Every structure is written in structure tokens, then in C-alpha cells.
Amino acid sequence: MITLTLAEIAEIVGGQPHDIPDPAATVSGPVVIDSRAVEQGSLFVAFAGERVDGHDYAQRAVEAGAAAVLATRPVGVPAIVVDDVVAALGALARTVVERLGTTVVALTGSAGKTSTKDLIAQLLERKGPTVFPAGNLNNEIGLPLTALRATEKTEHLVLEMGARYIGDIRYLTGLVPPRIGLVLNVGTAHIGEFGGREQIAIAKGEMVESLPEDGLAVLNADDPLVRAMTSRTKARVLLFGEAAEADVRGENVRLTDDGRPAFTLHTPTGCSDVTMRLYGEHHVSNALAAAAVAHELGLSADEIAEALSEAGTLSRWRMEVTERPDGVTFVNDAYNANPESMRAALRALVAMGKGRRTWAVLGPMAELGDASLAEHDAVGRLAVRLNVSKLVAVGGREASWLQLGAYNEGSWGEESVHVSDAQAAVDLLRSELRAGDVVLVKASRSAGLEQVAQALLENSTEGEVTGR
């Protein structure tokens, strides 16, 4: 973060100093919410959660080097006390970004946000210092924490914005207004909360409504609900996709023998060939979105293609590919799941597993509401249609719907099975995997299926899945 005095911070957030001997003392380190992450000169933000109250760790944070604590009550150490810590954190982030004048790029979408954010960051780092979130820090806490990592040297700030309800993205863009706003797609993630794709489109479109007239809206030409957002913005529009009308376009899209996407990138300034290190055709759309942002910020088609061809996975458990010494390949995509990402992952598994035995270890998809039964059934059926060798449905009711869909599509006997939990899946796979198999592990985050891949990648064959 830029250096600010405690008096300046108190004024920005509308807080009252408590136990601060020197208001001119400065915060020069990172803003953190975990006392274990404190560095010299940090600002420790104390949140009162359901299980842990950060105020109880204020003393420890100051002893570790924090200059002060942002809190809702006096804590016996230097503190700035506010009524609402979340609102104060957001106010601080907005002021810091306004003072810096860095280019803010924000993106949203139902699927692919984190992978696209990682691609954008790797492209823009070729132009200059770039700050972006680790993982998917995309809510009212994670977004300002990311923004506050920006310094005077930061040229680009890339922010991911998530939404569960209409108004969420409007709130986030109010905290840190973007100049470039990107909408990837409108799918069915969180459809249980929103009530339908049209409502999701209303929420995602808040991104482009926030843009200034001299800003840029980057929209998916292949998604009708996204493309229609052109009418909701005052900003200039740049379309990406495989459609002929896209300004940044992918042609001759294909997969290599091992399942990596390749295509010819067309931009308004030229074209160049791309062969990605990532797995799955769904990354083509992510790459084209990132290319559109990079084009706007001055990279040539050749520079973009080179960067996309070299880009890797920066966030854990998202198509994370690991091969065991015995030749079994694990694809750990267990960070999250929705119907769109499930379908993409299954297709990637099949492409990677040509000539090999493929396993789809799938768990529940959360927050689908009344659509849950139909969507789980459809994923089970797709696994059969794609000729996945083995489907292992892990968990309770929703997982049973996955297996039932596969059964009804024609998967009988040992081709599909329903097991109760992650440990049962580990036990099954440990007894049946053989050299050359390819295993996809995917579910919503709450299912904790990353533990399946982790347990089976351990050197010891005695390891068990730990409880959550």
C-alpha cells in the first residue's frame, strides 16, 4: 500500500483514534486480516467472524509489527475505531486507488473469472507492474484487500468481481471504479439465488453500467445475454469471441493431442498463432477475453500470442494437472463447480485421455436451487455421452442424481458408482487405478474434493482424507 499516516487513515475511514501515541506514525506495509500475515508497518483489520473474532488477535498483530488495528471497538493497542469495518476497508481502498491513478481492469462472469484474471495478469505484466488477486478474492473484503496492495509503481490493477445478488457488482465497482470492464458469460452459477439467467444478466451487466464514457466494455460476442449489454453502457465496446463480428477473434480452434487449445488470434492490429499450456477448449474464450484487454493496453498480436502460449495456472485446484510416477494423471479442478464448468472439464478430460482410461470423480454443484436435480442429471448423462470410462459420484443427494443420470443414459455395472464421501472415493481409486489413467476431480468448493487428489498424490499410500 502507499504510505499513509494513521491520522490520514482515520480521516479517510471516518474513524476515531484510540491508544495512538503518535498520529503521524505511518502504515507502510500490507493491509491484512490474518495476524499471521502481519509485516512491519501493516494495518491489521479486525473482523468479527462466526468462529473467530479478529479483535482477540489485535495485541498479537501489533507485537508482530502492525502499526495499528482497524476495529469496531478499542482493543488496548493503537487502533482506528469505526462502526463498520467492511465499509471502512472499502473507503480506504477507493481513496488509495484514486490517488494512484492506476489503470483498473475488472471482470465478472458465471464461469472462468479466476482463470481469465490470471491470464490477463500474465499478459499485462509484460507492459508493467501489475497487481491482481491470489485465488478468487472477489467480494467486499477480498477486492479492497487486493486494491490496497497497489503502490506508486503499479501500472495495472486487475480485479475479479463476484455476485450472488443483484447489486453486488454495483457495490464493488463503487469501491474501485474500473476503466476497463469485462463480462465473460452468463451461465447458471448461483441460479438458486438469482432465480434465472435473465436475472444473472442484470447483475453481471452492472459491470458495464459502471464504466465512464472514456472507458471500455469488453463483451463476449458468442454469448447473446452478454452481447446485449452493449446497450447498457456509455463506454466504447470491444467484442471478443469466435463470432465473425468479434473485434478480437479466435479462428481455427482445435485441441492438440494432449488436450491443449490452439487457435489463430486475430486482433485489429494483426494475427498470430497460439498454442496454450492450459488444458481444455473452454480456455479459448478466456484467452480471447484476456487478449482483448491486452490489445486495448497496447500489446501487439504477436506479443499477446506469445504470452498466451507461455501462460500457466496461477490459482490452485483449477485444472491443476499432475502426473504420478506410475503414469496416472490427476486433473484437480476441485475449487468450484457449476454446470458450465462441469461440462467444460468433462470435455477436457476426454480430450486429454484419448487412448487412455478416464475417470470423472464428481461431487455436488451448490446453489442451483430448483434447477439442481436437472443439472446434476444432465452432467451424469454427459459423462456417458462423452464416453468417460468411469464416473464416481461423491457425496449425498446431489451426487446420487449425477449417478442416476449416468445410469439412465446407459451407464450400468461398474461404469458409474455413487460413494458416500471423499475417503470412500480415495479407497475406491486406490484399489482400481492403473498406469496411464486420467482422473478428473471436480465439485463445488464446499464438497472438499481437492482432498481426493491430494491423498492420491501423496507419496504414502497410507494417507487418509482429513475432516473439514
Side-chain angles (χ1 to χ4, degrees), residues 109-132:
S110 295
K113 292 187 295 296
T114 300
S115 296
T116 305
K117 172 265 300 179
D118 289 346
L119 289 173
I120 292 172
Q122 290 175 83
L123 267 63
L124 297 189
E125 282 178 332
R126 297 193 169 216
K127 289 288 291 182
T130 301
V131 169
F132 59 99

Side-chain angles (χ1 to χ4, degrees), residues 106-113 169 181-188 197-209 211 216-233 235-241 243 246-247 285-286 289 292 340:
L107 70 153
T108 192
S110 295
K113 292 187 295 296
I169 292 175
L182 163 63
V183 183
L184 288 169
N185 45 55
V186 173
T188 53
R197 292 184 71 232
E198 291 74 16
Q199 295 297 104
I200 295 173
I202 290 172
K204 300 301 183 185
E206 293 170 1
M207 173 69 75
V208 300
E209 290 174 348
L211 297 171
L216 176 72
V218 179
L219 299 176
N220 187 347
D222 301 328
D223 186 322
L225 288 174
V226 175
R227 191 167 179 171
M229 294 176 191
T230 299
S231 64
R232 294 172 60 183
T233 185
R236 181 166 49 90
V237 173
L238 190 70
L239 297 176
F240 71 90
D247 304 290
S285 183
N286 300 340
E340 290 78 22

